[in-house]
Structure formats: C-alpha cells, structure tokens
C-alpha cells in the first residue's frame, strides 16, 4: 500500500539509486586499482563475451544492441586493451572477440570490490538486514535475473 510519504515510484528510484551507488563506488575503486577507463557498460560487455569468446553479432544479441553498437564498444575495449579480436579456429571466416588478461583482471577486481562493498553495507545496515534485502529481492525478481541486455533495455 502506498502512502503520501512512501509513493509507489519511490521504490524503483531507491533501487536504482542503490545500484548506482554501488556501481559508482566500484568504478572509483577500480580506477584506484589501475582500471580508470572501465565504465559500467563495459562490465556487461566483458561478461557477455565470456571465457570462450564470441562474435560481434552474437555479442550484440546478448546485449540487446545492434551489431554496429556492439562493434563500436568492442573497438573501444580493444583500444583500451580489455578485449582482442582473433580468428575463430572453427571457422576462418569469423572473427572472435576475446577477453584479454587485462580484461580478466578487471573482472576479478570487480568481483572482489563488490564483496568489499557488500561488506560495507553490512557494516552500516547489519549483516542480517543485507541478507534479508537480498532474500526479499530474490523472491520478487524473476529467476533469469542476470540478464546482460541491460544496455539495450536502457536504450530502447
């Protein structure tokens, strides 16, 4: 039930603000740890490329963006050293995009920083409260919660 001091629109805004706070804090720490060029969308791209690599077309599908938009992001991440392009050993006509050692380092550091940020929230709110928030969100969010098409969803 909504009330004047708790309107329905406040919930998504607070969830988004919590997400934004965590992501902003993550990127500030990643910059301190040697990854100043990583941006929030880059994390979705690196995850979508995956350990085996992918093509730009498949990457666009996974992210919910056009092949051209995916290619532009890949170009940027190649220039920054987080991705590389190479031949597909199964099909010489295709080029695969793969995460580099620098990209894997960024992903590993991101995971560790998120653990630290969760710890900070637990220290402020209490570990039981953070666990309860996570449990409540798991009950409310569909099972396929981890979708990589957020960039496309926001854009379109």
């Amino acid at each position: 039930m909504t009330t004047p001091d708790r309107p329905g629109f406040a919930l998504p805004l607070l969830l988004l603000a919590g997400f934004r706070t965590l992501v902003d804090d993550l990127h500030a720490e990643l910059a301190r740890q040697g990854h100043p060029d990583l941006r929030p969308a880059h994390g979705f791209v690196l995850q979508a490329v995956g350990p085996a690599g992918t093509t730009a077309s498949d990457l666009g599908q996974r992210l919910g963006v056009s092949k051209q938009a995916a290619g532009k992001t890949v170009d940027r991440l190649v220039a920054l050293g987080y991705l590389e392009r190479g031949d597909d050993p199964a099909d010489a006509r295709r080029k695969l995009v793969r995460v580099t050692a620098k990209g894997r380092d960024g992903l590993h550091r991101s995971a560790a920083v998120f653990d630290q940020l969760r710890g900070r929230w637990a220290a402020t709110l209490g570990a039981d409260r953070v666990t309860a928030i996570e449990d409540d969100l798991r009950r409310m969010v569909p099972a396929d919660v981890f979708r990589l098409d957020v960039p496309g969803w926001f854009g379109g």
Side-chain angles (χ1 to χ4, degrees), residues 125-154:
L125 302 173
D128 291 345
R129 189 68 211 114
V130 172
T131 299
I133 292 168
E134 291 169 337
D135 291 345
D136 290 345
L137 287 170
R138 281 189 184 95
R139 281 202 328 247
M140 297 306 296
V141 175
D144 65 344
V145 63
F146 189 69
R147 295 182 50 192
L148 296 169
D149 66 349
V150 171
W153 180 77
F154 274 125

Side-chain angles (χ1 to χ4, degrees), residues 30-114:
L30 285 175
R32 282 190 285 280
Q33 293 186 23
H35 294 281
D37 297 317
L38 276 180
R39 300 290 175 257
H42 296 161
F44 289 103
V45 174
L46 294 172
Q47 290 288 335
V49 169
T54 190
T55 64
S57 292
D58 289 342
L59 181 62
Q61 279 187 316
R62 291 177 189 175
L63 294 172
V65 299
S66 69
K67 176 184 175 183
Q68 292 78 12
K72 185 176 178 181
T73 303
V74 167
D75 289 344
R76 178 74 179 137
L77 290 171
V78 167
L80 293 171
Y82 290 97
L83 294 177
E84 64 187 2
R85 286 191 173 93
D87 294 330
D88 182 346
D91 185 346
R93 296 168 295 170
R94 292 176 12 140
K95 293 286 184 190
L96 285 183
V97 177
R98 292 185 185 88
V99 178
T100 64
K102 183 178 180 180
R104 287 188 297 279
D105 182 68
L107 286 171
H108 291 296
R109 288 177 188 270
S110 293
V113 172
F114 273 131

